[in-house]
Amino acid sequence: MAPVPLSAISGRRSLTFPWPPLLLLLLPATIFPALTFASPCRTSCGNIPIKYPFGVDDGCGAPQFRRMFNCSTDLFFLTPSGSYKVQSIDYDKQSMVIYDPAMSTCSILQPHRDFAMADLQSVIIPPAPDTVFALLNCSIDSPILNHYKYLCFNFSGHSCDELYGACNAFRVFHLLTNSSPPCCFTGYDTMKFMSMNILDCSHYTTVLNTENLKGVGPLDWIYGMKLSFSVADLGCDRCSKSGGTCGFDTETEGLLCLCSVSSNYTRDCVGGNFTGGGYNRAPAALIGAFIFILLSIAQLTLNS
Ligand SMILES: *[C@@H]1O[C@H](CO)[C@@H](O)[C@H](O)[C@H]1NC(C)=O
Ligand SMILES: *[C@@H]1O[C@H](CO)[C@@H](O)[C@H](O)[C@H]1NC(C)=O
Ligand SMILES: *[C@@H]1O[C@H](CO)[C@@H](O)[C@H](O)[C@H]1NC(C)=O
Ligand SMILES: *[C@@H]1O[C@H](CO)[C@@H](O)[C@H](O)[C@H]1NC(C)=O
Ligand SMILES: *[C@@H]1O[C@H](CO)[C@@H](O)[C@H](O)[C@H]1NC(C)=O
């Protein structure tokens, strides 16, 4: 927290008298109380709402998620292995469903494909525990059939034979060998530590909402991936309550509250309500005094 306001203050190091910038800071708010501010941050992409901590424009949202999205007509989630179409985002449950158009599913067999995330992504937005990876057409030398057998689990009583038998796409594995090549139901951690090449399986598919799939056939599973994201509490509530949009400085990645075209603040929009009718000067004066004290302290610290 501390580095943000400090860096803002140290920018004024050369000033001996802190009043002029302070007045400049408060002037627009005083003169244009009904100023409306068009945020530089898009609030949707296609039919997906974009809210904190995400952003599709640089400088918007939380810096941790920077460059993870691409909004070209539709919203895409970008990882080192490709771009994945975002199907939905549940901001309350902090989950996001993505779909890899190049992944094999019960109805379509596609060429070999790997799934990989950046280290940071594995920490802040990993696949949820109720997303299961089905590794298909594994060679008998695959580590998950030998040393790492324990990484495969019994997925609601479903078997490889069932998958190879029920899905047109996977029947080909069965036909070619006249037996079922091994497969494995596993979690994301297995993929994280071993690439598809090491796993020695030619295909994978992913299934989400797996808690409720006992007795449900592979034709009725939902293919795709649910990611669960975490949001660090960086004080965005305070910024949005004051009418701002949470973002960050694109050079330092220090947090910003985007308040108007001409002013970005570190915590909230000083004086608060730019769009409302009855603008109240009292809070502005109080906050102004607070900033003055902060600046004075900084001045003393820098001079000593
Ligand atoms: C405020 O922040 C946004 C996003 O980082 C940036 O585009 C804009 O130039 C900033 N405005 C000012 C006045 O610093
Ligand atoms: C965004 O996604 C589209 C479609 O997948 C792709 O063509 C484009 O190159 C991507 N842009 C960036 C900056 O990743
Ligand atoms: C199944 O895996 C083997 C290698 O173990 C590969 O040669 C074969 O092409 C794969 N089958 C399909 C249909 O991709
Ligand atoms: C998985 O579950 C099925 C059905 O409940 C059972 O028949 C099978 O033996 C189980 N397999 C393992 C490895 O536990
Ligand atoms: C801004 O002012 C309007 C009208 O007075 C009010 O309805 C709204 O709740 C205020 N917003 C905030 C964030 O205080």
Side-chain angles (χ1 to χ4, degrees):
M1 290 285 125
V4 177
L6 260 187
S7 65
I9 290 163
S10 64
R12 307 190 194 286
R13 177 193 286 265
S14 57
L15 293 163
T16 48
F17 196 62
W19 276 107
L22 186 61
L23 286 178
L24 278 179
L25 211 69
L26 295 177
L27 208 57
T30 323
I31 295 176
F32 305 113
L35 184 74
T36 32
F37 164 53
S39 164
C41 305
R42 273 173 284 176
T43 54
S44 69
C45 177
N47 58 353
I48 310 286
I50 307 293
K51 290 196 257 180
Y52 188 82
F54 303 132
V56 287
D57 299 293
D58 201 21
C60 299
Q64 293 91 322
F65 293 97
R66 193 178 189 187
R67 301 202 182 96
M68 286 190 196
F69 294 92
N70 168 351
C71 178
S72 55
T73 67
D74 287 315
L75 183 64
F76 286 87
F77 178 68
L78 312 175
T79 84
S81 59
S83 29
Y84 300 82
K85 190 171 182 299
V86 176
Q87 311 268 72
S88 63
I89 302 178
D90 187 328
Y91 288 93
D92 292 327
K93 292 188 178 143
Q94 304 197 347
S95 67
M96 179 168 96
V97 174
I98 60 172
Y99 182 74
D100 178 1
M103 177 182 82
S104 301
T105 66
C106 202
S107 48
I108 180 165
L109 187 71
Q110 307 213 65
H112 173 91
R113 180 135 171 100
D114 215 334
F115 178 75
M117 283 185 146
D119 289 343
L120 178 64
Q121 292 176 325
S122 290
V123 175
I124 62 175
I125 185 165
D130 65 351
T131 287
V132 164
F133 286 74
L135 307 173
L136 303 163
N137 190 31
C138 301
S139 99
I140 50 166
D141 299 323
S142 168
I144 44 167
L145 294 166
N146 299 285
H147 271 79
Y148 296 99
K149 219 184 170 95
Y150 66 90
L151 292 174
C152 304
F153 48 75
N154 201 346
F155 164 41
S156 303
H158 296 292
S159 68
C160 292
D161 278 337
E162 188 185 355
L163 205 54
Y164 292 132
C167 299
N168 278 332
F170 304 139
R171 204 164 283 147
V172 59
F173 298 130
H174 188 87
L175 292 176
L176 287 177
T177 56
N178 215 6
S179 68
S180 294
C183 84
C184 167
F185 297 111
T186 190
Y188 168 62
D189 281 351
T190 305
M191 304 291 285
K192 186 162 105 187
F193 295 114
M194 291 182 259
S195 70
M196 289 291 283
N197 287 338
I198 295 173
L199 290 165
D200 213 358
C201 304
S202 70
H203 290 76
Y204 82 88
T205 189
T206 57
V207 182
L208 57 91
N209 292 343
T210 53
E211 298 116 342
N212 311 316
L213 294 184
K214 206 173 183 79
V216 178
L219 281 170
D220 296 319
W221 296 352
I222 304 166
Y223 295 85
M225 211 180 282
K226 192 200 278 176
L227 310 179
S228 60
F229 57 90
S230 47
V231 188
D233 180 15
L234 301 172
C236 182
D237 265 9
R238 187 170 149 184
C239 170
S240 40
K241 281 205 184 92
S242 74
T245 304
C246 302
F248 56 91
D249 184 309
T250 51
E251 271 165 36
T252 63
E253 297 202 343
L255 303 179
L256 290 178
C257 187
L258 313 178
C259 298
S260 74
V261 186
S262 58
S263 45
N264 292 328
Y265 299 87
T266 50
R267 288 301 190 79
D268 55 19
C269 300
V270 182
N273 209 336
F274 287 105
T275 47
Y279 179 72
N280 187 349
R281 274 157 215 243
L286 270 177
I287 295 164
F290 178 65
I291 291 178
F292 174 64
I293 294 168
L294 266 184
L295 287 171
S296 312
I297 293 171
Q299 207 77 41
L300 283 174
T301 323
L302 290 172
N303 290 346
S304 60

